[in-house]
Amino acid sequence: MSISKALIEDAITWRRGFHATPELGYNELQTSDRVAQLLESFGVEVHRGLGGTGVIGTLSNGQGPTIGIRADMDALPIQELGHCSHKSTHQGCMHACGHDGHTAILLATARHLSETRHFSGTVHFVFQPAEEGLAGAKKMIDDGLFKQFPMDAIYGLHNWPGAPAGHVVINPGPMMASLDTFEITLTGKGCHAAMPDKGADPIIAAAQLILALQTIPSRRLSPLDSAVISVTQINAGEAINVIPETAVIKGTVRCLQSPVRDKVQALIGQFVEQLPVTFDVKGQLTYLVGYPVTENHPQAASMVRRAAVAAVGESKVQWGCNPSMASEDFSFMLQACPGAYLWMGVDGEKPSAALHNPYYDFNDQVIEPGVAVWTQLVEQSLPLT
């Protein structure tokens, strides 16, 4: 396959432009305008408005199946600390997760396919807002993504520090964990810090509960199950000499299997109800179910594998890996439509900075193999007749 060097150079320019002007979830106004403008210049039909700032580009070439390819567009509320020439110009906001690269790869793919048209069928290029914790994928689905744009399969890509640049990693099953959040309010009885017997200390109950929650993965689940319970906030008290009335604990739960996810939620509820009582403290749980497990459909994952082998070579394709306990809202799309999600390595001569790191910058060398993989996927999924 021949991909124009001029196209890759243009894609790098687009990517760096997006990097310099990052926007947070549901506020990707300038980004979505630019995406729509470029798609229209390629001769791709554009639909806007799903998910607020979402953009769909549709390219048809004769009769055949229909597939979708998704890229996320939003940035993170992080102050960039690097010194690249295209550093963020928006205070407190940067593309620390590489969504600028995902968007540029999909735009370049759309232009390449519009020029070559070595496929028979329809491709929907899905540019999604608000992946970073705001469930933009679900919002697009709720707004009618798969009803207005029916697809036989949907595919997504994420850059991946820790894997060599241009290498593809994919599983025939789970790729990333579910994400749920919890807030636990412990209510005791406030009193003088010198007279703890006159009150009921919610901080002691909180300390014991935090430790007890860690026994759920280690003692209440099978060692073959995957779960992470992380307490990330504890707030209590206003004065150094007062035992407070309440303490609030917040955190997240990550699982790789849906039945395990349900069991962990139930166990946390039991712990919150029963353990604080031993300290004469009442526990109340607010549990918010968030992103599902990102689980590939085996047939679609196999399709990605074949396309990746054709695009970058078998030695650069890893079939089977340890899933990540991080989460991804592409999981909602995979619940609604068959498909698969792949990682593409970005480590060059020097390892990439981690995702969500203030020094992160997408590796532009990955744009060309990214376009090659998507192109092969389209041409193999929608063969010319």
Side-chain angles (χ1 to χ4, degrees):
M1 184 192 338
S2 175
I3 299 173
S4 163
K5 291 189 179 298
L7 171 58
I8 300 305
E9 289 173 0
D10 286 345
I12 291 172
T13 299
W14 305 334
R15 201 284 296 180
R16 295 182 178 183
F18 292 134
H19 190 93
T21 56
E23 296 171 299
L24 299 179
Y26 298 122
N27 291 286
E28 306 94 341
L29 303 176
Q30 184 176 346
T31 303
S32 60
D33 283 347
R34 179 63 170 152
V35 166
Q37 175 193 33
L38 286 167
L39 290 172
E40 288 172 347
S41 75
F42 308 155
V44 174
E45 181 182 345
V46 172
H47 179 95
R48 303 187 66 175
L50 293 186
T53 50
V55 180
I56 311 292
T58 299
L59 181 65
S60 296
N61 194 54
Q63 299 297 313
T66 299
I67 67 169
I69 308 175
R70 170 269 207 174
D72 34 17
M73 300 185 294
D74 57 322
L76 284 158
I78 296 175
Q79 181 63 39
E80 185 163 9
L81 298 181
H83 300 286
C84 60
S85 61
H86 47 278
K87 183 177 179 178
S88 171
T89 59
H90 292 176
Q91 186 73 16
C93 184
M94 73 167 290
H95 272 294
C97 203
H99 296 182
D100 50 341
H102 305 166
T103 299
I105 288 171
L106 192 53
L107 283 168
T109 302
R111 191 172 103 181
H112 179 74
L113 290 171
S114 72
E115 294 170 350
T116 57
R117 295 182 178 267
H118 292 158
F119 67 95
S120 183
T122 298
V123 186
H124 295 305
F125 305 100
V126 180
F127 294 87
Q128 179 209 306
E131 187 278 328
E132 296 290 357
L134 296 174
K138 185 176 186 301
K139 176 63 174 168
M140 292 191 82
I141 294 167
D142 291 344
D143 285 353
L145 173 63
F146 293 116
K147 291 180 180 178
Q148 295 184 43
F149 303 92
M151 305 176 200
D152 298 299
I154 182 100
Y155 298 92
L157 169 155
H158 205 291
N159 72 97
W160 206 248
H167 285 225
V168 171
V169 182
I170 189 165
N171 277 337
M175 287 290 292
M176 302 185 79
S178 61
L179 167 61
D180 301 325
T181 61
F182 60 83
E183 179 176 321
I184 301 165
T185 301
L186 299 170
T187 304
K189 181 180 178 182
C191 65
H192 197 296
M195 306 170 191
D197 57 305
K198 304 298 183 182
D201 192 342
I203 293 179
I204 293 294
Q208 295 294 328
L209 182 57
I210 290 169
L211 293 174
L213 290 175
Q214 300 310 310
T215 68
I216 292 176
S218 65
R219 290 297 178 267
R220 300 299 299 273
L221 300 179
S222 165
L224 301 179
D225 294 334
S226 299
V228 175
I229 301 173
S230 293
V231 172
T232 55
Q233 295 181 28
I234 177 168
N235 296 289
E238 297 174 310
I240 198 169
N241 60 345
V242 176
I243 290 176
E245 189 88 2
T246 62
V248 178
I249 301 169
K250 297 181 182 180
T252 66
V253 176
R254 318 273 180 154
C255 301
L256 287 175
Q257 302 90 11
S258 295
V260 174
R261 185 188 193 192
D262 295 338
K263 185 175 182 179
V264 170
Q265 179 180 354
L267 287 169
I268 290 176
Q270 292 177 22
F271 276 55
V272 172
E273 180 182 359
Q274 298 171 11
L275 188 147
V277 173
T278 61
F279 301 94
D280 201 21
V281 171
K282 180 182 178 181
Q284 180 179 355
L285 171 66
T286 300
Y287 197 94
L288 299 178
V289 175
Y291 292 1
V293 178
T294 303
E295 186 163 6
N296 286 340
H297 296 247
Q299 184 175 354
S302 294
M303 182 68 75
V304 170
R305 181 189 187 184
R306 291 194 293 273
V309 167
V312 300
E314 189 167 4
S315 65
K316 295 183 179 180
V317 178
Q318 181 180 342
W319 176 252
C321 64
N322 290 325
S324 170
M325 297 307 288
S327 304
E328 161 66 67
D329 78 343
F330 188 68
S331 54
F332 288 108
M333 294 191 179
L334 292 179
Q335 282 192 330
C337 179
Y341 179 82
L342 66 99
W343 296 334
M344 178 161 280
V346 290
D347 284 2
E349 293 181 4
K350 294 188 347 183
S352 168
L355 299 176
H356 294 210
N357 181 285
Y359 291 95
Y360 182 83
D361 187 24
F362 184 86
N363 183 352
D364 289 328
Q365 293 180 353
V366 171
I367 292 176
E368 184 170 3
V371 175
V373 169
W374 282 152
T375 300
Q376 282 289 342
L377 180 66
V378 170
E379 293 180 355
Q380 290 186 19
S381 300
L382 314 177
L384 281 169
T385 55

